[in-house]
Amino acid sequence: MPEPTLNTATRESPWTTWGRSLLAVAVIVGLTALGIANVAMYSRWHEVEDGVLWAARSEGVTAIEIAPASSAARAGVQYGDVLLAVNGSPVQTPADVVEYQHQAHEGTRLSYTLLRLGTRQALEISLTPAPRAASMYFVLAAVGLFTLFVGALVRLRRPRDQATLHFFWVCVAFFGVFTFTVNGPFDRLDWIFYWADAIAFALLPPLLLHFTLAFPERQRVGRTWGVLIPLMYVPGCLMAAARIVAVTRASSNGPLFSRTIDRLDRIEQLYLFLCATAAVAVLFRAFREITSVTARRQLRWIAWGTALGAGPFAFGYALPWALGADPPMALQLTAIPLGLVPLTFASAIVRYRLRDVEVIVKRGLAYAAFLAATVALYVAMLKLTGFVFANDSDGHTWIIALLATIVVVLLAQPVKEAVQNALDRVFYRDRYDYRRALVAFARDLNSDLDVVRLSQRLVARIVETLVVDRMALMLGSSGNGDDRAGDFASIGHYGFPGRVPPLSRQSSMMARLDAGYTVALVDDPTAAARFEAEEIEFWRDSGIDYFVPCVFEGRAIAVLALGRKETDEPFNSEDLALLTAVAAQVATAIENGRLYRELHLKAEELGRMREFNENILESLDDGLVVFDVSERIVRWNRALEEFYGVVRRDAVGRTLGDIFDVPFIEALRAARQEHPYGATLYRVPLSARKDDDSRILVNATVVPLQNPSGSDMAVSGTILLIEDITDRVRLEEQLQISEKMASIGLLAAGVAHEVNPPLTGISSFTQMLLDGADPRDPKTALLEKIEKQTFRAAKIVNGLLNLSRPAPATNERIDVDLNAVITDVFSLLEHQFEVGKIKARRELAPTAVTVVGIEHQLQQVFLNLFLNARDAMPRGGWLTVTTRIDGDRAVVEISDTGSGIPPEQLARIYDPFFTTKAIGRGTGLGLSITYGIVREHDGAIRCDSAIGQGTRFTLTLPLAPAQEQRTSGVRL
């Protein structure tokens, strides 16, 4: 069936088209400027008057009507008084009086010189505001400006169509009726407003009726009404002429002039009502003359738009006022729906298919219903306020009612939504719930990452909601690894008898689809100009009329291909908006599915890489600590857990100061400040956090943790590598000791070879002297001491020989009382302690502390420790020796109040030949020999020292079996 076409002008030059557009623009600019000026004058003009209607008579300016209770009546002005002068200035015409009033304001006092019955009188008149009836002028002016802009937009978009020119003048007439109004100054500009309003009101009714007869074009109308159409403008011209005569001839007769103008206003309202009713009737009659489905639908909505736009105003205000009634101010709000009339006509002209009039009318009904409810609520509030306050005459009750209405309206959004939903149900009937379900379904699409299942569900929902005859979801096939690079093939469809043809990426429609625009192959006059005719024909033959793109990041990744509704009606804007919203969700869901697959692969790869890195870090033999710029630990590996004794969960999140020793932290900070790009600390002592509270020796390396940030490397933390070298240092020391002990052994052998003969001689001669000595002779005790010390010297020489090779014979070890050994050593050093002002404090266990060992070696241990204590106290001090039994161990503590040992030297005090004494004061072998003897006796030695406070050596040795049994018995 051929579609109706618009009236189009014959091909004309571009200059003519531009000239018409410029003319429309000039008219719009001029009318808009006048309209704004009228609104501004209306808002600021507040006319004052004296309450007298002055007229020009032969005797002069005469008072022909005086308002009761006006300022003139109170001053004593009477009918027939002739005004001679105002403020001493002669008055020639009534215009002179109006001029004085226009120059004054409320409260201004004018001196009138009157002539009454041949007598001059002077009266003082105080001007009062002229009464102004309540008006909805600003609302009407807004409707007029809106109508003017609609007409301008239509004219500029279709400057060659005769229908747009006709519609443009209809909108200009609407604008003039609603926007122009007389204000009161009656200057030249105010008279322009007056006559513009009068002419617009005279021409609007015939223009509206003429437009409904001419559009859409109907041949029968052209033949029947061709002669009668000009006659429609005759009543308007006659009313305009009558108004001109009334203003020019009857203005001298005030009462007659007022009655004439009032009657003309009412006749014009009646004329508008009759023409609007006739226009609706013409539109309904046109249904019998137009057989096109699209045109009939077009006329139906134009008729409804005209009826719903002009009907409330015509029946609610214009007709009652024309018949002599005085409608309340609230009924002037019925002028607002008049904006629907030009809007529906504009949509018909520009878009021609008028698929949006349904939406416009529906929304207009919703807003009109809500507005009517608001007006009714205001009236009810006004009555309720007057009843509550029991004073209907109070001028403030309307303010209370208005505020209450505003509060209710602001809180009435649910009511408005309920009205809108009710209208949706009326328009869509059983499809309403399906539309809501489709929107909810689109929101849930992202939860389904299976594209094929998603396509089947989507097609079924859209077909059920919009009742389309066919539909397909076409997905861009893979190309060069990009799902958005290839052609589009169907992955779910409905209603196609065979295979759905693919959509090529090289199609002429792809530019519009990639830009996010819906492509309509029907109901869109621009489709033929934008796309190839063969392609349009191909898709229409395939039953596809619409393509809705699913756009993601600027390109279409899928397309919804749809046919027509089963009622053969095109999609309206709400249908297309619904499909666009669904398409956006579909694009997101498809992209989510693709990204989910990629993310899943990336996550697996990242997991493998993370596991690989974790294995590398956890496989390190050295400890690894990573901490941030605030020294808060963020990483702690397994090796550090093992040799330091702190598990990861207890370390991560805490600061370095909470985990490591203060000296260690201070050394790290100093190294980082001195070497910001990395440094290594060697042989740093560290107290492990294990149960035995042992000390370990470590090498610590700190390097900054850097992240690329632009051209610089931003430091986000620090990596600390800790190498436990305790066992390695111990092995190195043992190797060094072994090598040095071998040298000492050679030296000891030579010393023994040279010293033993003299000692043998001394011992022999001493024994010979003791054989005949008198026990009571004091020299006998001295000889016994010489013999005893000779044997001790021989044992020391033998001890040097055995230092590097511990004696394997167990029978050489005996039960040794540590208390007795300590007492013997003290007896040897008593003289040296007295000379050095060293006081000894012996806190020995009350019972014997017996261990299994070699007595002279143990004597050597205590002798070395006592001598070191003496050397540490050159100015005297206290030497304290304590013995006790702790379980199955014998404990000896030797402490002094000397100078102490620096922390950095504590780890080396047992090294052979290491000494802190001056040259010639020590060999560095004392503590090394002591360490070896203690280890040989299966014991342990520990040193605690503080600079300036002294040093304490703690020795632990296993108790002798007999002593251990006695101790256990005591415990039992």
Side-chain angles (χ1 to χ4, degrees):
M1 182 179 297
E3 302 290 348
T5 59
L6 288 173
N7 287 336
T8 56
T10 58
R11 186 168 298 275
E12 56 189 16
S13 66
W15 291 105
T16 304
T17 303
W18 277 101
R20 291 178 175 177
S21 299
L22 291 176
L23 177 61
V25 170
V27 172
I28 294 301
V29 170
L31 291 178
T32 303
L34 288 175
I36 294 174
N38 201 156
V39 172
M41 180 179 291
Y42 187 90
S43 62
R44 71 171 183 267
W45 175 256
H46 299 286
E47 187 176 5
V48 293
E49 65 174 6
D50 55 8
V52 182
L53 179 60
W54 300 100
R57 298 287 178 86
S58 57
E59 58 273 17
V61 178
T62 306
I64 61 174
E65 186 176 350
I66 302 170
S70 63
S71 59
R74 290 193 297 270
V77 178
Q78 298 179 5
Y79 177 82
D81 289 347
V82 179
L83 181 60
L84 301 178
V86 176
N87 291 339
S89 299
V91 173
Q92 303 296 331
T93 63
D96 296 338
V97 183
V98 174
E99 183 65 25
Y100 277 107
Q101 294 176 358
H102 287 173
Q103 295 175 0
H105 53 81
E106 181 181 357
T108 300
R109 300 184 67 85
L110 299 179
S111 177
Y112 283 6
T113 302
L114 302 175
L115 180 62
R116 180 185 301 166
L117 300 176
T119 304
R120 287 176 176 266
Q121 294 187 7
L123 300 178
E124 291 290 333
I125 307 296
S126 179
L127 299 182
T128 58
R132 174 181 285 185
S135 175
M136 295 294 295
Y137 168 73
F138 295 106
V139 177
L140 300 177
V143 175
L145 287 171
F146 171 75
T147 304
L148 181 65
F149 292 148
V150 169
L153 180 62
V154 170
R155 182 57 179 168
L156 293 176
R157 290 189 63 177
R158 299 288 181 86
R160 297 181 179 181
D161 292 340
Q162 185 65 26
T164 63
L165 178 62
H166 194 161
F167 176 73
F168 175 72
W169 290 118
V170 172
C171 292
V172 169
F174 262 100
F175 168 78
V177 169
F178 290 133
T179 306
F180 291 136
T181 184
V182 66
N183 296 283
F186 292 107
D187 55 6
R188 184 173 300 175
L189 183 61
D190 202 25
W191 280 111
I192 292 176
F193 296 152
Y194 176 80
W195 289 114
D197 180 32
I199 294 173
F201 217 125
L203 294 179
L204 176 60
L207 281 172
L208 180 62
L209 180 59
H210 184 185
F211 184 78
T212 56
L213 289 170
F215 179 81
E217 182 181 2
R218 303 184 293 278
Q219 295 181 356
R220 183 176 177 181
V221 171
R223 294 193 303 267
T224 306
W225 295 89
V227 179
L228 299 179
I229 283 178
L231 297 179
M232 292 187 301
Y233 291 89
V234 173
C237 296
L238 292 177
M239 286 186 290
R243 188 177 293 272
I244 294 173
V245 172
V247 171
T248 57
R249 297 295 180 89
S251 59
S252 59
N253 189 340
L256 177 61
F257 176 74
S258 299
R259 290 192 300 272
T260 304
I261 295 300
D262 183 67
R263 289 195 182 109
L264 286 175
D265 291 340
R266 295 181 184 277
I267 292 173
E268 286 176 345
Q269 295 283 352
L270 180 61
Y271 183 41
L272 176 60
F273 169 76
L274 294 175
C275 287
T277 304
V280 174
V282 168
L283 291 175
F284 278 104
R285 181 184 177 87
F287 282 110
R288 294 182 299 176
E289 303 174 1
I290 296 179
T291 57
S292 170
V293 175
T294 302
R296 287 175 61 85
R297 185 171 181 271
Q298 178 182 13
L299 283 174
R300 182 171 66 250
W301 288 111
I302 290 179
W304 278 108
T306 304
L308 295 176
F313 180 76
F315 288 98
Y317 183 84
L319 182 60
W321 191 79
L323 296 177
D326 190 10
M329 181 189 69
L331 287 179
Q332 294 190 20
L333 292 174
T334 57
I336 295 177
L338 286 171
L340 288 175
V341 177
L343 191 61
T344 54
F345 281 38
S347 182
I349 295 172
V350 176
R351 306 186 67 165
Y352 189 58
R353 297 301 179 186
L354 205 62
R355 62 189 180 195
D356 278 345
V357 172
E358 174 183 347
V359 178
I360 295 169
V361 172
K362 183 184 62 172
R363 292 181 181 176
L365 284 174
Y367 284 106
F370 186 71
L371 183 61
T374 303
V375 173
L377 178 63
Y378 170 74
V379 174
M381 287 290 183
L382 187 62
K383 296 295 184 181
L384 179 62
T385 304
F387 175 76
V388 170
F389 290 98
N391 188 6
D392 294 338
S393 61
D394 190 355
H396 297 85
T397 55
W398 72 271
I399 300 177
I400 300 174
L402 180 61
L403 293 176
T405 304
I406 291 174
V407 171
V408 174
V409 169
L410 291 176
L411 298 177
Q413 184 64 22
V415 177
K416 179 177 175 294
E417 293 178 355
V419 172
Q420 185 69 49
N421 292 335
L423 289 174
D424 287 342
R425 287 187 179 276
V426 172
F427 274 79
Y428 299 122
R429 293 183 291 278
D430 55 342
R431 304 263 69 82
Y432 174 76
D433 293 331
Y434 290 137
R435 295 174 78 92
R436 294 175 62 89
L438 179 60
V439 174
F441 170 75
R443 296 194 188 101
D444 297 336
L445 282 177
N446 293 328
S447 61
D448 194 346
L449 300 177
D450 188 338
V451 177
V452 176
R453 183 172 61 246
L454 179 148
S455 66
Q456 295 171 352
R457 294 171 57 203
L458 176 69
V459 169
R461 282 298 182 94
I462 293 180
V463 169
E464 182 182 34
T465 302
L466 299 180
V467 196
V468 295
D469 56 357
R470 61 190 64 192
M471 178 193 169
L473 174 59
M474 309 176 76
L475 181 65
S477 60
S478 60
N480 299 326
D482 187 358
D483 290 344
R484 293 171 287 178
D487 296 340
F488 295 86
S490 173
I491 59 173
H493 60 271
Y494 167 83
F496 290 90
R499 175 177 173 271
V500 180
L503 175 63
S504 174
R505 175 61 74 173
Q506 284 71 39
S507 169
S508 60
M509 297 182 292
M510 285 312 304
R512 295 283 294 175
L513 293 175
D514 284 337
Y517 294 102
T518 297
V519 172
L521 303 181
V522 295
D523 304 322
D524 187 359
T526 64
R530 288 175 175 167
F531 313 127
E532 297 178 0
E534 295 81 1
E535 188 174 12
I536 295 176
E537 196 65 29
F538 169 77
W539 287 112
R540 295 193 65 177
D541 291 342
S542 301
I544 295 178
D545 294 333
Y546 298 93
F547 289 96
V548 182
C550 305
V551 179
F552 188 84
E553 293 184 352
R555 295 197 70 183
I557 61 174
V559 176
L560 303 179
L562 302 103
R564 278 181 172 264
K565 294 183 179 180
E566 290 184 355
T567 57
D568 200 33
E569 294 181 353
F571 291 151
N572 59 33
S573 62
E574 283 194 349
D575 296 331
L576 294 179
L578 181 62
L579 289 171
T580 301
V582 172
Q585 298 290 342
V586 171
T588 304
I590 293 175
E591 190 65 17
N592 284 347
R594 184 180 67 84
L595 293 177
Y596 176 77
R597 294 194 300 271
E598 293 182 359
L599 183 61
H600 185 68
L601 297 176
K602 291 290 184 182
E604 291 181 349
E605 181 182 356
L606 184 61
R608 291 192 297 268
M609 184 179 299
R610 182 183 181 85
E611 183 179 0
F612 179 73
N613 293 334
E614 289 284 343
N615 292 336
I616 292 176
L617 297 179
E618 296 299 329
S619 299
L620 292 175
D621 291 334
D622 297 335
L624 174 70
V625 183
V626 180
F627 54 91
D628 57 19
V629 292
S630 61
E631 296 188 350
R632 192 169 297 277
I633 297 173
V634 297
R635 187 58 194 261
W636 187 276
N637 75 339
R638 186 182 305 158
L640 197 55
E641 290 183 356
E642 294 176 355
F643 71 76
Y644 190 63
V646 177
V647 296
R648 180 182 308 171
R649 65 175 178 271
D650 295 336
V652 174
R654 301 175 64 184
T655 61
L656 291 179
D658 297 335
I659 303 298
F660 294 106
D661 300 339
V662 175
F664 180 75
I665 298 298
E666 292 177 350
L668 282 180
R669 291 172 180 168
R672 290 168 59 193
Q673 291 179 357
E674 185 176 355
H675 303 284
Y677 296 103
T680 302
L681 302 177
Y682 297 98
R683 296 192 176 215
V684 183
L686 192 61
S687 296
R689 301 297 177 89
K690 296 183 178 179
D691 295 337
D692 56 359
D693 199 20
S694 59
R695 292 181 66 84
I696 58 177
L697 204 62
V698 299
N699 289 340
T701 301
V702 289
V703 293
L705 178 63
Q706 297 176 333
N707 287 332
S709 179
S711 59
D712 300 329
M713 299 293 286
V715 177
S716 60
T718 303
I719 301 174
L720 172 62
L721 290 172
I722 301 177
E723 179 187 5
D724 183 9
I725 60 173
T726 305
D727 295 335
R728 186 178 71 190
V729 169
R730 185 174 296 138
L731 292 175
E732 292 175 353
E733 290 177 351
Q734 290 178 358
L735 179 61
Q736 292 173 1
I737 291 173
S738 299
E739 293 176 351
K740 293 176 181 179
M741 289 303 106
S743 301
I744 293 173
L746 294 175
L747 177 62
V751 171
H753 179 72
E754 297 295 334
V755 172
N756 276 339
L759 290 177
T760 302
I762 295 171
S763 176
S764 298
F765 289 129
T766 303
Q767 290 176 3
M768 290 173 61
L769 291 173
L770 286 173
D771 287 341
D774 186 359
R776 292 173 294 179
D777 188 355
K779 295 181 180 180
T780 301
L782 294 176
L783 290 173
E784 289 176 351
K785 284 186 177 182
I786 292 173
E787 181 186 27
K788 187 176 182 180
Q789 294 304 319
T790 302
F791 289 151
R792 182 173 174 273
K795 289 180 181 180
I796 290 174
V797 173
N798 292 330
L800 288 174
L801 293 174
N802 295 329
L803 181 63
S804 58
R805 49 178 179 84
T810 58
N811 55 2
E812 294 183 1
R813 299 194 178 199
I814 60 174
D815 289 347
V816 179
D817 183 3
L818 293 182
N819 290 343
V821 172
I822 292 172
T823 301
D824 291 342
V825 174
F826 263 117
S827 65
L828 293 176
L829 299 176
E830 287 178 359
H831 179 68
Q832 295 185 33
F833 286 162
E834 290 178 359
V835 173
K837 298 180 180 180
I838 297 174
K839 296 181 180 181
R841 181 188 295 115
R842 284 179 286 182
E843 299 176 354
L844 305 180
T847 60
V849 181
T850 306
V851 299
V852 177
I854 303 172
E855 183 178 4
H856 71 275
Q857 288 185 354
L858 295 175
Q859 289 178 347
Q860 186 66 35
V861 168
F862 292 116
L863 181 61
N864 290 336
L865 293 176
F866 291 167
L867 291 176
N868 284 342
R870 180 201 66 185
D871 294 339
M873 297 182 289
R875 298 181 180 179
W878 282 91
L879 174 63
T880 303
V881 180
T882 304
T883 61
R884 68 177 185 275
I885 297 175
D886 187 5
D888 59 349
R889 311 289 288 183
V891 180
V892 182
E893 293 182 355
I894 303 169
S895 58
D896 61 59
T897 58
S899 58
I901 303 173
E904 63 272 12
Q905 296 179 357
L906 278 176
R908 303 187 60 193
I909 59 176
Y910 303 115
D911 294 351
F913 305 106
F914 176 79
T915 180
T916 59
K917 300 176 183 178
I919 298 176
R921 296 295 303 276
T923 62
L925 292 175
L927 287 178
S928 178
I929 294 173
T930 299
Y931 179 81
I933 294 172
V934 173
R935 298 291 293 177
E936 184 181 344
H937 284 73
D938 299 326
I941 183 172
R942 188 181 67 192
C943 177
D944 298 308
S945 182
I947 298 296
Q949 297 181 7
T951 304
R952 180 177 69 244
F953 283 92
T954 304
L955 284 71
T956 57
L957 295 168
L959 289 172
Q963 178 74 32
E964 184 177 357
Q965 290 177 2
R966 290 195 298 269
T967 305
S968 300
V970 172
R971 287 198 299 268
L972 292 175

